[in-house]
Amino acid sequence: KTFRPRKKFEPGTQRFELYKKAQASLKSGLDLKAVVQLPPGESINDWIAVHVVDFFNRINLIYGTMSEYCTEKSCPIMSGGLKYEYRWQDDSKYKKPTKLSAPQYMCMLMDWIEMLINNEDVFPTRIGVPFPRQFQQVCTKILTRLFRVFVHVYIHHFDSIINMGAEAHVNTCYKHFYYFIREFSLVDHRELEPL
């Protein structure tokens, strides 16, 4: 229910080229701290947009692979252990922070991100169309909420990830995500405390 088809970049576009550059760097075995740095002459907003979409795809896949273990019964509250509880808020149905089960939260999150990255006013794909003034703030909110998926998966479901033999993939994805958000200060350090 929370799995989404991968979002793709149109071949021949600048973002497709940036995406290929980022993927080639990751596959070459380079230091992830270096891989996340903005390539010379590239737009920071394009670089962030490419990574936000890629992280959405990867984290959605990670959660999708273990979602059968994350149920209303096993995870009645979206949390990261006993100390951290995450509540959902949006601009439509949930105007105040609301307790949700982890599966409900994940479904709302993936729908919300998908809606944003498909919105040309927020994530423009046409050459010459500028990013909105609040683009990086939107990305910060997306990445902060995606970080919460890692928190929940690591604290509540990592045994399932290990049993599937997917821990190397999850760990690499997390490291890439972590170095990226730290490189551009995209997630408040207080949000990072659970991990």
Side-chain angles (χ1 to χ4, degrees), residues 2-195:
T2 59
F3 180 75
R4 305 291 194 283
R6 289 178 62 96
K7 299 294 168 197
K8 296 182 180 165
F9 301 101
E10 289 296 319
T13 64
Q14 182 181 8
R15 289 212 195 109
F16 180 73
E17 295 306 314
L18 279 174
Y19 173 74
K20 285 192 334 190
K21 192 181 292 187
Q23 292 305 303
S25 296
L26 280 172
K27 291 175 185 166
S28 69
L30 292 176
D31 176 16
L32 287 174
K33 286 181 184 177
V35 167
V36 298
Q37 294 173 355
L38 180 66
E42 298 296 346
S43 155
I44 181 113
N45 285 339
D46 279 324
W47 190 240
I48 290 172
V50 163
H51 280 82
V52 166
V53 172
D54 190 43
F55 288 134
F56 167 71
N57 286 331
R58 290 171 188 266
I59 294 167
N60 188 41
L61 182 62
I62 288 168
Y63 183 72
T65 61
M66 48 73 47
S67 62
E68 69 184 89
Y69 306 104
C70 186
T71 65
E72 300 285 329
K73 187 175 181 180
S74 68
C75 303
I77 297 171
M78 175 56 180
S79 64
L82 298 174
K83 192 175 176 185
Y84 299 95
E85 179 181 306
Y86 301 117
R87 296 180 179 198
W88 183 258
Q89 183 176 6
D90 55 34
D91 295 330
S92 56
K93 186 176 178 184
Y94 299 93
K95 296 193 186 290
K96 293 181 181 179
T98 305
K99 277 187 183 186
L100 296 176
S101 68
Q104 289 174 305
Y105 186 100
M106 298 297 183
C107 189
M108 297 295 293
L109 175 62
M110 298 308 171
D111 286 347
W112 176 75
I113 295 172
E114 190 170 41
M115 182 262 311
L116 285 171
I117 63 178
N118 287 329
N119 183 339
E120 285 286 328
D121 293 332
V122 181
F123 277 75
T125 57
R126 293 182 311 280
I127 295 173
V129 176
F131 285 91
R133 209 172 59 248
Q134 76 281 12
F135 177 72
Q136 288 188 23
Q137 292 169 318
V138 171
C139 290
T140 289
K141 195 166 191 175
I142 291 170
L143 294 168
T144 297
R145 289 179 172 183
L146 283 173
F147 179 77
R148 294 171 181 180
V149 177
F150 279 119
V151 172
H152 186 76
V153 167
Y154 271 109
I155 292 174
H156 297 282
H157 301 291
F158 203 67
D159 288 347
S160 300
I161 296 293
I162 290 171
N163 289 338
M164 287 185 266
E167 69 272 17
H169 173 71
V170 173
N171 288 337
T172 300
C173 184
Y174 175 68
K175 275 175 73 172
H176 182 208
F177 181 89
Y178 178 81
Y179 289 138
F180 184 78
I181 62 174
R182 298 302 294 156
E183 175 73 15
F184 300 104
S185 301
L186 292 167
V187 174
D188 188 292
H189 70 279
R190 291 172 297 184
E191 283 282 341
L192 304 178
E193 288 176 11
L195 293 183

